[in-house]
Amino acid sequence: MAPAAVKLMQNRIDEQFEVLRQNRRAGFTAYITGGDPNLERTIDIAVGLAEAGVDFLELGVPFSDPLADGIANQLGAQRALASGTTLPKLLYTVSQIRCRIAIPIILYSYLNPIYQYGFEQFEQDAVAVGIDGLLLLDLPPDEHLLSDRSSFLHRIRLIAPTTSEDRIKTIVARASGFIYYVSREGVTGEQSSLSDSIAAQVEKIRRYSALPIAVGFGISNPEQAAQVAALADAVVVGSAIVRRIGELANDSEIGPKLRELVRPMVQAVKLISKSQR
């Protein structure tokens, strides 16, 4: 048992949240689709985001039927698939990214690509290339097709505004790393305003889990990022970044221009001082 406990502490997600707690601030998570606009550019984009001060990188596995995603992320997945991205190629690309950045990498995926790859082989390969966590969008809370006992690959679990307290208890019992709270019903996408229920929902989850809570879906500007940073342990921004990647797909300055988009949101999050828990 002792060796497993030591390995768990070595996960970059745990280490990063500990640094954030010590600095009394929330983390900033950037979501991009792996292979959008192509795998080579994905490396440059990931490095640029880390240079902009991003604390966590969430990397989407492109899938042909992304039911939880809005139009920006759907188009990102289409671009990635059209460029020839597959899960094996993406894992190799992660190994290239890991050589250049140290921040935690969370893989965001639907179940089918990993089912096709093979669950046990996927876990071995994901850990080997430097992935720290796995978020499966369409895995029911009652299922755990990959062992929940892994000391290396955290199992990130989703909670929605409609999740009952009984379901919250079930979900958090099988989670590790952090809890991802989906701040609104529906699919991913930029929103002009945030839900009024975020604060109450985050506090409800805290009653059942000591894990950090990240909030995503709909956050797209510095003001919204700062609002969420005051309530949660991490802010997730995805669609705004993916939409901009689509606009800059053929631009040789895609890295610097994405930094221009992301850095003000990162800075807004870092300015929110939080009490230590």
Side-chain angles (χ1 to χ4, degrees), residues 14 21 155 172 175-179 205-206 209-213 233:
D14 300 320
R21 278 192 291 269
R155 313 300 197 228
V172 301
S176 63
F178 63 92
I179 305 295
I205 297 167
R206 290 200 197 283
S209 177
L211 289 173
I213 300 171
D233 301 295

Side-chain angles (χ1 to χ4, degrees), residues 121-189:
Q121 189 63 52
F122 166 79
E123 175 147 11
Q124 293 175 26
D125 294 349
V127 170
V129 300
I131 292 169
D132 305 289
L134 175 66
L135 195 164
L136 288 173
L137 272 294
D138 52 351
L139 179 68
D142 303 304
E143 298 290 339
H144 48 102
L145 298 176
L146 289 162
S147 169
D148 290 331
R149 295 192 300 268
S150 173
S151 299
F152 296 104
L153 194 64
H154 275 321
R155 313 300 197 228
I156 316 305
R157 292 282 184 158
L158 288 162
I159 292 177
T162 53
T163 305
S164 69
E165 292 203 36
D166 284 344
R167 297 294 276 174
I168 289 174
K169 294 177 190 177
T170 300
I171 291 168
V172 301
R174 289 180 172 161
S176 63
F178 63 92
I179 305 295
Y180 190 127
Y181 174 63
V182 177
S183 65
R184 64 186 183 84
E185 298 175 47
V187 297
T188 60

